[in-house]
Amino acid sequence: MAAVDDSSDSNTPKPPPEAAPEEGDKPPAAESNPPAMPEQLPRWADPIFRAGLAVGSGLFVIGIICQTFNLIAPTLSILIICSGLGIIFGAFGSTAVINYKGFVIAGVAAVSIALLLVVDWVMRESLLRLEIDGDVRGARLDLFGDTAFPGADHGQRFEFYIIGRSVAGNRDRLTLVVTPPQTEQRSQPGRTIEFECIPATAITRFIGSGRTLQWRFDADREVLIGVEGKTIRSGPCLDDEDDGPGFASLDLVGTAQAQDGDIGQLLADLESDSAAVRRAAREKLAAIGEAAVVPMMDYWASHEDSYPVRLGVSVAMTEFLRDHKGDRREIASLLTDSHLRLLAAAAGDPDRNLRIYASEFLYDLGDKRVVPIAVDLFPAASDDGRYNLLVVIRGAVPDLNAQEREALAVTLKSWQGMVGPNTQKLIATVMADLVA
């Protein structure tokens, strides 16, 4: 008898033999290979790629220029270079997955720019130490932006500490006020030397550099010497550099008594020992405007020997007229001949600040009554004073009639042999205006 395997069941169907896969059949999904990555070459026709390349290259070039010419803080210029390179690399490296929700290229650019802004914001908190030496012994120095910067007198030098962000809101200008000791022969009682409209970049480009910025004050030349022996540009502020302060609109109805009291106190503040108080008084007088014109000029007439009054009134009048040139005839009607003579004398004064402010005011005023006054003062004025008196005369030329123009032309010809080359050129310009 043959042995039988009871575990097998002859009735159970056996699976068919496995068939070999035919050529071209796809393997099961579980055994599939990963899809091929998109092409890694840059897509030159893609506008996003080209934009990223342009922006990155621009930032890179700007950073190199700033680093080479020391236009801004070195750390910031390096950051701009790195940001530009980051955008360029991001544009090249992200083209393979550029369609992935649109975040890769935009993300690289956004991160680079955000990093630039964040580091710039942090750097504005950086401190810069400014030292001013030279002819400062016994003097007083005040540095202003929107507010006064803290400083210390060390005898032979002054030291100021400047926070980067505090400079950013100063309309790109700073003011340094030097009050020399009254014991010096060259200084007048209460005289100040003001360096206005110092560009903020003279300071901000050194913030974050880790160095002490050093300036030198030359009292004889009345200039500030900065790095590499270059003179620091300063004002007074002109229209093309600054829009001037925002003056309050005039509202004179029912406020005369209160204004009179305010103006009187502000005029007294022009002689304050504090440069900050004097500066605030000038700004407030300029903001009052027409109502303060006559009180200011009368106060000047009664304090003619006070340098702070002469300078303060000249500054306030000039800053007011800068914003109200269309009202020059109304303002001129408030001024008497004696007022104009005070202003014309200031325009020919040896003091640079006083001379510039007074001559700018009279030039913008364009009142022809000042012409004979300036002609009378011209022979006794200094070379600089004569130049500024000619500036005053030129401002009034448009209002002169034919007879007055002929008389002035004769006078100008007689001056040509007594002035320097720059003043001679200005005389030629005024004579050309007379025949225009």
Side-chain angles (χ1 to χ4, degrees), residues 397 405 409 430-436:
V397 164
R405 290 175 180 240
V430 177
M431 293 185 68
D433 292 343
L434 291 172
V435 298

Side-chain angles (χ1 to χ4, degrees), residues 205-216:
R205 64 193 179 103
F206 295 98
I207 293 176
S209 64
R211 59 184 290 189
T212 297
L213 180 59
Q214 292 183 320
W215 292 353
R216 181 168 59 85

Side-chain angles (χ1 to χ4, degrees), residues 314 317-318 320-321 331 335 340 343 356-366:
S314 297
M317 297 273 283
T318 301
F320 166 63
L321 186 55
I331 298 170
L335 300 172
L340 292 175
L343 289 161
I356 291 177
Y357 274 112
S359 59
E360 180 186 341
F361 174 81
L362 290 174
Y363 177 85
D364 289 339
L365 189 69

Side-chain angles (χ1 to χ4, degrees), residues 42-87:
R43 299 173 181 173
W44 298 101
D46 196 315
I48 299 180
F49 171 80
R50 289 184 294 178
L53 195 61
V55 172
S57 300
L59 285 175
F60 178 77
V61 172
I62 291 173
I64 291 294
I65 293 174
C66 292
Q67 181 77 4
T68 302
F69 296 99
N70 196 27
L71 300 178
I72 58 177
T75 309
L76 186 57
S77 60
I78 293 174
L79 175 63
I80 294 176
I81 293 173
C82 294
S83 299
L85 290 175
I87 294 177

Side-chain angles (χ1 to χ4, degrees), residues 294-306:
V294 174
M296 281 194 290
M297 293 308 304
D298 288 345
Y299 193 82
W300 182 345
S302 61
H303 296 75
E304 194 171 350
D305 294 333
S306 173

Side-chain angles (χ1 to χ4, degrees), residues 347-349 355 374 377-393 415 417-420 423 426-427:
D349 195 273
R355 184 173 67 245
L377 294 172
F378 189 90
S382 65
D383 290 341
D384 291 333
R386 289 174 177 176
Y387 186 93
N388 282 70
L389 286 171
L390 275 169
V391 171
V392 170
I393 291 173
W415 288 347
M418 55 188 292
V419 296
T423 308
L426 183 56
I427 289 177

Side-chain angles (χ1 to χ4, degrees), residues 84-423:
L85 290 175
I87 294 177
I88 293 173
F89 295 154
F92 274 95
S94 61
T95 53
V97 285
I98 192 164
N99 291 322
Y100 183 70
K101 298 183 179 180
F103 286 112
V104 175
I105 282 191
V108 171
V111 168
S112 299
I113 295 174
L115 180 61
L116 170 65
L117 296 177
V118 169
V119 174
D120 177 63
W121 177 264
V122 173
M123 288 182 62
R124 289 179 184 274
E125 289 289 0
S126 302
L127 284 174
L128 175 70
R129 188 173 71 172
L130 168 64
E131 288 187 354
I132 303 178
D133 56 16
D135 302 322
V136 298
R137 186 175 182 84
R140 174 177 174 176
L141 274 65
D142 297 277
L143 183 64
F144 297 97
D146 285 340
T147 58
F149 293 101
D153 181 3
H154 297 288
Q156 299 290 345
R157 61 184 174 83
F158 273 76
E159 188 176 56
F160 293 95
Y161 286 92
I162 300 170
I163 300 176
R165 187 177 294 129
S166 64
V167 181
N170 291 323
R171 298 193 300 268
D172 299 327
R173 71 174 190 178
L174 300 171
T175 300
L176 178 69
V177 179
V178 182
T179 306
Q182 297 185 11
T183 56
E184 295 186 8
Q185 294 181 354
R186 61 171 170 263
S187 63
Q188 306 173 29
R191 183 172 185 271
T192 60
I193 302 170
E194 300 196 12
F195 299 94
E196 286 202 311
C197 270
I198 298 174
T201 52
I203 288 179
T204 55
R205 64 193 179 103
F206 295 98
I207 293 176
S209 64
R211 59 184 290 189
T212 297
L213 180 59
Q214 292 183 320
W215 292 353
R216 181 168 59 85
F217 170 60
D218 187 331
D220 292 330
R221 297 167 54 201
E222 296 189 1
V223 295
L224 283 173
I225 309 298
V227 295
E228 301 176 353
K230 296 180 180 179
T231 301
I232 296 175
R233 179 172 61 87
S234 61
C237 300
L238 301 177
D239 288 342
D240 58 349
E241 295 177 343
D242 181 67
D243 293 334
F247 297 108
S249 59
L250 299 178
D251 181 10
L252 308 181
V253 179
T255 62
Q257 184 175 357
Q259 279 189 341
D260 288 343
D262 293 342
I263 292 172
Q265 181 59 54
L266 293 174
L267 291 172
D269 288 343
L270 292 177
E271 298 183 280
S272 171
D273 293 334
S274 169
V277 172
R278 296 195 301 269
R279 184 170 181 259
R282 296 195 303 249
E283 292 178 351
K284 291 177 181 177
L285 287 168
I288 292 174
E290 288 188 26
V293 169
V294 174
M296 281 194 290
M297 293 308 304
D298 288 345
Y299 193 82
W300 182 345
S302 61
H303 296 75
E304 194 171 350
D305 294 333
S306 173
Y307 173 81
V309 171
R310 299 200 307 272
L311 178 63
V313 172
S314 297
V315 172
M317 297 273 283
T318 301
E319 292 187 344
F320 166 63
L321 186 55
R322 281 175 183 170
D323 203 56
H324 296 81
K325 292 180 181 179
D327 301 329
R328 68 178 186 89
R329 296 191 184 279
E330 290 78 4
I331 298 170
S333 67
L334 301 173
L335 300 172
T336 65
D337 289 352
S338 61
H339 292 159
L340 292 175
R341 189 170 189 87
L342 290 174
L343 289 161
D349 195 273
D351 181 79
R352 177 179 177 271
N353 281 325
L354 181 58
R355 184 173 67 245
I356 291 177
Y357 274 112
S359 59
E360 180 186 341
F361 174 81
L362 290 174
Y363 177 85
D364 289 339
L365 189 69
D367 191 333
K368 70 177 186 178
R369 291 179 297 164
V370 80
V371 173
I373 297 174
V375 169
D376 183 52
L377 294 172
F378 189 90
S382 65
D383 290 341
D384 291 333
R386 289 174 177 176
Y387 186 93
N388 282 70
L389 286 171
L390 275 169
V391 171
V392 170
I393 291 173
R394 187 184 182 191
V397 164
D399 283 355
L400 297 178
N401 57 38
Q403 184 177 358
E404 292 166 338
R405 290 175 180 240
E406 292 177 3
L408 179 57
V410 173
T411 302
L412 294 177
K413 289 180 181 179
S414 68
W415 288 347
Q416 288 180 328
M418 55 188 292
V419 296
N422 289 336
T423 308

